[in-house]
Amino acid sequence: MLAENFNLTAYCQRIGYTGELRPNLATVQALMQHQLRSVPFENLDVLAGKPISLNPDDIVAKIVGRQRGGYCYEVNGMFAMALQALGIPYQFVAARPMFYPMKRPRTHMALLVTLDGAEWLCDLGFGSYGIRAPLRLDVLETPIPQGCDTFMLSEEGGDIILKAQVEGAWAKQYGFNRCPVEWIDFAPANWLNSTHPDAVFTQKPLVVCFTANGRNILFGDSFKQVDAGITTQRTLAPHEQAAVLEEHFGLRS
């Protein structure tokens, strides 16, 4: 799905990466962490009533050209373009979010990347309890610390389940299988997430950006900062939101 306007050098400049570019795990992990810290997960265009385009050229123009972020299809799509430019095999998977009280459709997009004969889960678009580095798919029931978070992959009913440790307990985040999914298959989910009145993205601002030791989260008028496991939170007045978006998420109106 490489866009005609994708340029690997421009992408690296956008995410602040100046290291080596090789088709190996070290490069993939470094690119993933740099993108997570510079390209926020955000739904501001959804709230503004703007269509969320899945055209690869539009994604590049938005994230690289206009210095914006996006939600899972956009940020994971952007990362897929970088993988393709490096010659790294990958496939899209459709994942079912599992933190809701009721069963939800498989509307989340993630990536399975093949490196050194193994498959790795990469995901740069899951918001607060998203992984911070690739997870090897054949390492199950094993806690994997990533910064201030700890994750684990399990297998249930033919699905691989991503779990995060939340307040001392394992909380299911989403489940997926290895069935390959094509880019166009996410069009209905994109439409639902960007237009349905019950979708979380249509209701209030949701912006997440990772930091070296945690993450910054804006949800509605609540601004939360997690740093080395310590959480601070405050309520923003309407006039404060623009400054917080620029200072902590690199987003300008």
Side-chain angles (χ1 to χ4, degrees):
M1 62 159 293
L2 198 61
E4 291 185 5
N5 61 346
F6 180 84
N7 178 279
L8 189 58
T9 299
Y11 166 77
C12 289
Q13 290 174 343
R14 169 69 177 93
I15 67 173
Y17 180 70
T18 57
E20 292 185 332
L21 290 169
R22 296 184 177 181
N24 57 29
L25 180 61
T27 295
V28 171
Q29 180 166 311
L31 291 176
M32 183 173 172
Q33 292 177 346
H34 277 75
Q35 182 175 322
L36 283 169
R37 296 176 191 176
S38 58
V39 179
F41 176 89
E42 53 110 335
N43 69 331
L44 301 184
D45 278 359
V46 173
L47 293 178
K50 299 178 181 178
I52 304 301
S53 174
L54 294 189
N55 181 297
D57 289 316
D58 292 340
I59 292 174
V60 174
K62 179 179 179 179
I63 293 178
V64 177
R66 300 200 300 276
Q67 304 282 298
R68 288 287 307 281
Y71 60 8
C72 67
Y73 318 113
E74 299 167 288
V75 294
N76 279 330
M78 184 87 262
F79 193 67
M81 295 183 213
L83 294 173
Q84 186 169 338
L86 289 168
I88 297 173
Y90 69 90
Q91 71 175 62
F92 298 114
V93 292
R96 187 188 314 280
M98 302 180 74
F99 52 84
Y100 293 99
M102 72 289 293
K103 195 170 187 177
R104 301 290 290 245
R106 297 179 186 265
T107 56
H108 178 61
M109 171 197 284
L111 295 163
L112 299 188
V113 178
T114 301
L115 288 165
D116 302 325
E119 286 184 299
W120 301 78
L121 172 66
C122 291
D123 190 357
L124 299 86
F126 196 64
S128 61
Y129 287 104
I131 59 176
R132 306 175 71 90
L135 286 176
R136 186 162 170 155
L137 257 63
D138 59 359
V139 178
L140 302 176
E141 306 301 335
T142 304
I144 307 293
Q146 293 188 348
C148 61
D149 298 313
T150 302
F151 299 96
M152 181 167 65
L153 294 176
S154 300
E155 193 164 5
E156 298 179 13
D159 272 7
I160 296 172
I161 310 298
L162 173 68
K163 300 176 181 178
Q165 204 164 60
V166 181
E167 297 179 355
W170 289 109
K172 295 179 181 179
Q173 300 302 300
Y174 58 76
F176 62 93
N177 56 44
R178 288 183 171 86
C179 179
V181 181
E182 295 187 30
W183 178 251
I184 191 62
D185 294 330
F186 291 102
N190 178 52
W191 181 83
L192 181 137
N193 276 329
S194 61
T195 64
H196 198 285
D198 292 337
V200 65
F201 304 109
T202 65
Q203 298 177 29
K204 59 182 70 175
L206 174 56
V207 189
V208 182
C209 198
F210 284 65
T211 64
N213 297 309
R215 59 181 68 83
N216 295 324
I217 304 168
L218 174 68
F219 186 51
D221 61 0
S222 173
F223 177 52
K224 180 190 297 186
Q225 293 181 284
V226 181
D227 186 68
I230 299 173
T231 300
T232 58
Q233 188 170 350
R234 66 187 178 95
T235 300
L236 300 180
H239 70 273
E240 294 181 288
Q241 188 179 95
V244 167
L245 286 172
E246 182 170 352
E247 179 180 355
H248 296 284
F249 301 98
L251 295 174
R252 298 173 179 84
S253 57

